[in-house]
């Protein structure tokens, strides 16, 4: 395989981590290019079950180099805690297989504080933040008021820079939110406690990636969240604060010259959503609870129950378009095995008219789902490993989705384990 991006097609939580873990044996370098610790990628392999938030999902493959690119929000405390947890389960993490871009910015403690304060101020109009500091972080980055990871290599410069930022940031903390300001001693203790531990992993990843490309190495780009949470193309303002689309991968990775040859878009066999915002196909009540339990739909980072519903072909087709997906991985098909009839959100109704176009965010809450049903298969398919192992009804469901979204489904997942996959 040539250079590839694995991206979410819908609201995130589609199963990107398990797909990265699955195909990393075809790649030499796995790169996270955006986002921070606000979403989890669940991976199940022979070492156990893991919920990764910042570490690239290639960390489990010997010989694979994992990179946190310049587009990532690097929370030193969360990252180090995650590294220690993964190490405790027998996974080796060294500066040889994990590299942090010196141009990535650090998410500081005040970013998490401000995230929580703003959500509290918004009350019933909140954005559904996980309160990991992502929006305040990216706001500061675009104001050019963040610390870059490379500054960990220059402590005296870092201390002076932090002092300048502290004075500016405390104005907001005190005057806008009437909260307790930070002190330099608190910030420096945090840097010494966590930042210094990561110093050996910080390097010029751009130079590393240039050399890797010259050596013929293959790159796998790992996105966080999905198309509908992209800052520019998602359900604004209920989005993340970075660009989750594949087109951003070269920029956020530190290798803007790289050409992406394949985009694997991950789609769940039904819909799930963590956080606020319009979710046209949403189920409620008993139907939602049954699906949520069958799919274990609880946030990997927060444990919050995910909102669920049938697969949304309108939103999925839109996600395929903005991601320029060349292949689809359909995950969690086995979860639908309990249903007699499989529901599908085939169209929307907006202003009394049926539409297949994904609406502008401002009018999306007015859209209503047009639901159709197909036959279920009512049997356990988790042991299927070949296309012909699937019952005819399951095959028809996959083929229907494929035709509707206009992109080949090359992978069908029937379980969380690495080998619970069917290649088409």
């Amino acid at each position: 395989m040539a250079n590839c991006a694995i991206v979410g097609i819908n609201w995130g939580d589609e199963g990107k981590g398990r797909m990265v873990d699955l195909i990393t044996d075809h790649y030499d370098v796995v790169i996270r290019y955006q986002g921070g610790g606000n979403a989890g990628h669940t991976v199940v392999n022979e070492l156990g079950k893991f919920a990764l938030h910042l570490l690239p999902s290639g960390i489990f493959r010997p010989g694979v180099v994992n990179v946190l690119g310049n587009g990532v929000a690097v929370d030193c405390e969360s990252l180090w805690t995650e590294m220690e947890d993964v190490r405790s389960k027998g996974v080796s993490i060294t500066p040889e297989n994990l590299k942090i871009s010196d141009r990535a910015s650090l998410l500081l403690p005040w970013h998490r504080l401000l995230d929580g304060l703003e959500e509290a101020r918004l009350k019933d109009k909140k954005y559904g933040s996980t309160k990991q500091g992502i929006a305040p972080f990216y706001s500061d980055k675009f104001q050019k008021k963040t610390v870059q990871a490379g500054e960990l290599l220059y402590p005296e410069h870092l201390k002076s820079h932090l002092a300048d930022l502290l004075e500016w940031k405390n104005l907001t903390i005190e005057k806008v939110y009437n909260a307790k300001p930070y002190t330099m001693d608190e910030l420096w203790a945090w840097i010494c406690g966590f930042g210094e531990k990561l110093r050996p992993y910080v390097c010029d990843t751009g130079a590393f990636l240039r050399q890797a490309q010259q050596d013929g190495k293959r790159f796998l780009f790992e996105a966080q969240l999905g198309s509908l949470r992209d800052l520019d193309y998602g359900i604004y303002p209920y989005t993340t604060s970075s660009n989750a689309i594949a087109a951003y991968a070269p920029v956020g990775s530190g290798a803007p010259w790289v050409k992406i040859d394949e985009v694997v878009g991950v789609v769940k066999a039904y819909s799930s959503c963590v956080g606020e915002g319009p979710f046209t196909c949403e189920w409620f009540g008993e139907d939602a609870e049954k699906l949520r339990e069958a799919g274990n739909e609880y946030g990997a980072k927060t444990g919050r129950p995910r909102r669920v519903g049938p697969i949304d072909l309108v939103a999925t087709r839109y996600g395929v378009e903005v991601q320029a997906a060349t292949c689809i991985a359909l995950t969690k098909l086995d979860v639908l095995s309990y249903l007699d009839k499989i529901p599908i959100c085939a169209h929307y109704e907006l202003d009394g008219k049926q539409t297949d176009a994904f609406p502008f965010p401002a009018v999306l809450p007015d859209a209503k789902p047009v639901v159709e049903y197909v036959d279920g298969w009512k049997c356990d398919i988790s042991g299927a490993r070949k296309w012909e192992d699937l019952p005819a009804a399951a095959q028809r469901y996959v083929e229907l989705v494929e035709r509707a979204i206009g992109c080949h489904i090359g992978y069908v997942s029937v379980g969380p384990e690495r080998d619970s996959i069917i290649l088409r």
Side-chain angles (χ1 to χ4, degrees):
M1 292 185 179
N3 296 329
C4 174
I6 292 188
V7 296
I9 294 298
N10 298 116
W11 299 266
D13 310 303
E14 300 95 344
K16 295 180 293 298
R18 71 97 67 234
M19 287 306 303
V20 174
D21 179 62
L22 174 70
I23 69 172
T24 44
D25 59 340
H26 297 289
Y27 294 92
D28 306 291
V29 184
V30 176
I31 312 164
R32 280 280 305 272
Y33 62 87
Q34 49 80 221
N38 57 318
H41 289 178
T42 301
V43 175
V44 180
N45 55 35
E46 70 279 3
L47 297 170
K49 182 177 180 179
F50 301 86
L52 302 182
H53 303 288
L54 277 164
L55 285 173
S57 301
I59 198 68
F60 305 105
R61 293 281 189 177
V64 171
V65 179
N66 298 267
V67 173
L68 294 179
N70 51 276
V72 175
V74 178
D75 182 334
C76 298
E77 182 175 355
S78 294
L79 177 56
W80 183 254
T81 301
E82 185 175 320
M83 289 166 64
E84 290 291 272
D85 177 62
V86 172
R87 279 196 186 109
S88 72
K89 298 173 183 176
V91 180
S92 175
I93 303 178
T94 72
E96 299 304 311
N97 73 342
L98 176 65
K99 300 181 184 297
I100 302 170
S101 170
D102 56 3
R103 289 183 175 268
S105 287
L106 302 185
L107 188 149
L108 297 171
W110 57 49
H111 292 128
R112 286 196 298 272
L113 171 68
L114 288 168
D115 205 351
L117 290 171
E118 178 61 11
E119 284 284 278
R121 187 191 70 82
L122 288 170
K123 297 181 180 177
D124 60 340
K125 295 183 179 180
K126 62 185 179 181
Y127 296 150
S129 169
T130 57
K131 302 178 184 178
Q132 298 301 305
I134 302 302
F137 164 85
Y138 280 109
S139 175
D140 284 1
K141 181 176 179 178
F142 276 88
Q143 292 188 78
K144 304 176 291 292
K145 291 186 181 295
T146 53
V147 168
Q148 292 186 312
E151 294 180 62
L152 291 169
L153 307 178
Y154 306 96
E156 290 308 312
H157 168 86
L158 172 58
K159 201 164 192 176
S160 174
H161 190 190
L162 271 177
D164 291 341
L165 294 179
L166 176 68
E167 180 182 4
W168 168 75
K169 184 56 70 177
N170 275 341
L171 291 174
T172 301
I173 294 172
E174 290 185 278
K175 305 300 183 185
V176 176
Y177 293 104
N178 195 31
K180 180 178 178 293
Y182 278 91
T183 67
M184 191 63 192
D185 287 344
E186 289 172 328
L187 275 183
W188 198 246
W190 187 87
I191 290 290
C192 294
F194 300 104
E196 287 189 6
K197 291 182 173 71
L198 295 178
R199 188 184 299 169
Y201 300 86
V202 176
C203 65
D204 183 348
T205 55
F208 166 77
L209 293 172
R210 278 191 293 273
Q211 186 61 53
Q213 186 182 41
Q214 291 172 15
D215 294 341
K217 304 297 185 183
R218 293 159 297 184
F219 298 166
L220 181 63
F221 301 92
E222 181 179 11
Q224 185 195 76
L225 296 168
S227 309
L228 303 179
R229 296 299 190 188
D230 182 88
L231 179 60
D232 290 304
Y233 297 99
I235 53 173
Y236 189 88
Y238 301 100
T239 66
T240 192
S241 299
S242 61
N243 291 105
I245 60 172
Y248 184 72
V251 175
S253 70
W257 59 86
V258 165
K259 178 180 181 292
I260 297 177
D261 304 288
E262 184 176 7
V263 177
V264 176
V266 187
V267 177
K268 200 172 283 184
Y270 52 94
S271 296
S272 69
C273 172
V274 172
E276 306 295 328
F279 186 37
T280 305
C281 64
E282 185 170 10
W283 272 359
F284 301 93
E286 185 179 354
D287 286 340
E289 192 54 37
K290 285 181 179 178
L291 180 54
R292 188 176 295 116
E293 287 298 318
N296 190 30
E297 292 298 340
Y298 300 92
K301 179 70 178 180
T302 63
R304 293 186 297 186
R306 294 186 180 120
R307 301 158 69 189
V308 295
I311 192 167
D312 185 330
L313 298 181
V314 179
T316 301
R317 188 163 45 243
Y318 172 77
V320 168
E321 291 170 355
V322 299
Q323 293 285 15
T326 58
C327 178
I328 294 296
L330 188 70
T331 62
K332 289 198 166 186
L333 184 66
D334 56 305
V335 171
L336 299 179
S337 298
Y338 76 97
L339 289 163
D340 292 307
K341 292 287 186 179
I342 310 294
I344 293 169
C345 177
H347 317 279
Y348 286 176
E349 182 184 306
L350 189 62
D351 296 329
K353 298 178 182 178
Q354 185 170 294
T355 180
D356 290 329
F358 192 69
F360 182 71
V363 297
L364 184 57
D366 300 325
K368 296 179 176 60
V370 177
V371 179
E372 299 174 356
Y373 292 86
V374 298
D375 292 336
W377 44 92
K378 291 294 288 185
C379 64
D380 182 10
I381 62 171
S382 61
R385 295 296 180 268
K386 298 178 181 178
W387 177 246
E388 53 268 27
D389 294 340
L390 289 177
Q395 292 181 358
R396 286 194 294 270
Y397 180 77
V398 173
E399 290 166 346
L400 184 156
V401 173
E402 183 176 71
R403 288 193 301 271
I405 65 176
C407 190
H408 173 61
I409 296 176
Y411 303 87
V412 179
S413 166
V414 293
E417 298 80 15
R418 185 182 280 171
D419 67 340
S420 300
I421 199 83
I422 295 168
L423 305 180
R424 293 180 74 231

